[in-house]
Amino acid sequence: MSRRTRRSLLAAVGTTLMGALAGCSDRGPFASETSREYDDSALAALPGEIPHIPSTVPVQPTDAHLTSARERIRSLLDGADVSRVPNAVVRQRLVRERKSAREALASTADDHSRVETLEGLTHPRSEAMFVAAGLAAFDNSLTASDIETRRERHHRDANAFLADYAPAGPRDDPLGAFVEHARITDWGRTGARLIEPNTRYEYENTVLHVAELAQHVEWGRAYAADAQQLHTDYTATLDDPRDYEAHFASVATTLTDDVATHATAPDQKTLASDIDRDIADTPGETLLEDLARSRWSAAKTAVERHDAGHAVGAIGPAMRALAADRAFTAARDAVADGAYGVPASVDPIAAERAAAVDGLRGLLDTRPALLARRLAHHVRNPIRNADELADEHTGVVAGRDIYATYAVASQFAAAAPPVVQRVGDLLDG
């Protein structure tokens, strides 16, 4: 789809919705009442197909890497006979963790990309460790002190990998290098963070406490080890690589400067101060709050990572903050013009979902595709969340929340393409 065709599609969708959604009279699609019941069956019928988002990583994990992750789970569960634990509470918890880990082995099928499958195996590895560590603690062969020694070792390894990190990549593909390193460093930092000492624990029982400690360490170790292996496999594909550290730092600085003003938590009371209508307890109020919160969270992350010297990690959230800012501005204008009041029926909610799905398709047609796919997750996720609400809940609050969540997706999808194109130009420059 060309830029012009995509813009025409989004503009047509937006014009149709504004015409259908504007106004607050009893005869219009919105009712002035903030308390309204909706047809439960109509709400339940809202969910439908959502476009699949292809992988954002050019170089996927190897088959050997995936096999190793699965074997880690199997080896930890091998011979895990929990029936010998007499305490029913402990035994049942070990059974649940073992069952969850086993089910994950079957559910991480080939319908996902290999990188998604690998990430889906991180928590199951920690669940399997919970079982193995719990049984070892029951046998008095593993203590909390042992886990602390293990935690310190893995934490050192994870931080050493990040400290020595250099974003090298193909000389003719800075964008591909960015998205690859963004995934690797994200996993690496996630792992290091998860391995940090815990301050809150769920269990007082000694066996479960040791199991819990070991689970957190294994979860972080899995992320950190996967990051290191993915980095090894990626760099092995490079011939005469270029060091992109200075280039990525320059891009990160430019984008972070653009969003730094939004890195402070927004005052929710002033979000609609320039709107000449009362939007309290309406989907419009929730829409503005959610977009402002998303903008703040992303901008804050971008600034923090940039200031800490994590240039690669700052670019993604800065891009998201820019898209959320554009979405917020457009949504505020729409709300000021009368949109996103309390709908009188499910029809406007269904129309908003359709706009969100069309917007997601348009975003996925935007170039560069690897950047568009990164932002596309922030459209697909709220659509999926609203679908789950529609499946599970009914009533006035659910109707308003579903509508607002679809609106977050549709507004973000419409705002994202220019941001994708701009960041792509910066990375290619």
Side-chain angles (χ1 to χ4, degrees), residues 56-101:
T56 60
V57 178
V59 178
Q60 294 284 312
T62 63
D63 290 338
H65 193 172
L66 284 172
T67 298
S68 175
R70 292 189 174 102
E71 284 303 314
R72 176 68 170 172
I73 296 174
R74 294 189 181 100
S75 64
L76 288 170
L77 295 179
D78 185 33
D81 179 14
V82 301
S83 64
R84 58 193 179 85
V85 178
N87 185 312
V89 173
V90 174
R91 185 175 64 252
Q92 289 167 8
R93 182 53 195 263
L94 294 175
V95 167
R96 288 199 301 271
E97 295 289 339
R98 183 182 62 182
K99 179 182 178 182
S100 181

Side-chain angles (χ1 to χ4, degrees), residues 68-69 72-73 76 121-122 125-126 129 150 153-155 157-158 187 190-192 194-195 214-228:
S68 175
R72 176 68 170 172
I73 296 174
L76 288 170
L121 290 168
T122 53
R125 275 174 274 179
S126 77
M129 176 58 76
R150 182 189 303 178
R153 182 177 71 254
H154 289 317
H155 199 238
D157 291 344
W187 281 6
T190 297
L194 289 171
I195 303 172
Q215 179 179 35
H216 279 284
V217 173
E218 175 64 19
W219 196 8
R221 187 212 63 83
Y223 266 112
D226 285 346
Q228 294 177 46

Side-chain angles (χ1 to χ4, degrees), residues 145-166:
S145 178
D146 296 331
I147 299 301
E148 175 60 18
T149 300
R150 182 189 303 178
R151 185 199 67 75
E152 291 175 350
R153 182 177 71 254
H154 289 317
H155 199 238
R156 283 195 304 270
D157 291 344
N159 283 328
F161 169 70
L162 294 169
D164 295 337
Y165 199 87

Side-chain angles (χ1 to χ4, degrees), residues 246-329:
H247 177 57
F248 290 158
S250 175
V251 173
T253 297
T254 298
L255 296 176
T256 303
D257 286 347
D258 288 347
V259 302
T261 57
H262 299 301
T264 302
D267 183 354
Q268 303 286 10
K269 296 179 181 179
T270 65
L271 294 178
S273 58
D274 58 347
I275 296 178
D276 190 21
R277 58 182 280 236
D278 184 8
I279 64 169
D281 299 321
T282 68
E285 180 184 45
T286 303
L287 170 62
L288 296 184
E289 289 176 350
D290 286 353
L291 288 174
R293 189 180 303 111
S294 178
R295 178 181 61 185
W296 162 60
S297 174
K300 180 173 179 288
T301 300
V303 170
E304 289 175 347
R305 291 182 178 178
H306 176 266
D307 291 349
H310 309 324
V312 172
I315 293 173
M319 182 169 63
R320 179 185 173 192
L322 287 170
D325 183 45
R326 291 177 63 93
F328 176 84
T329 299

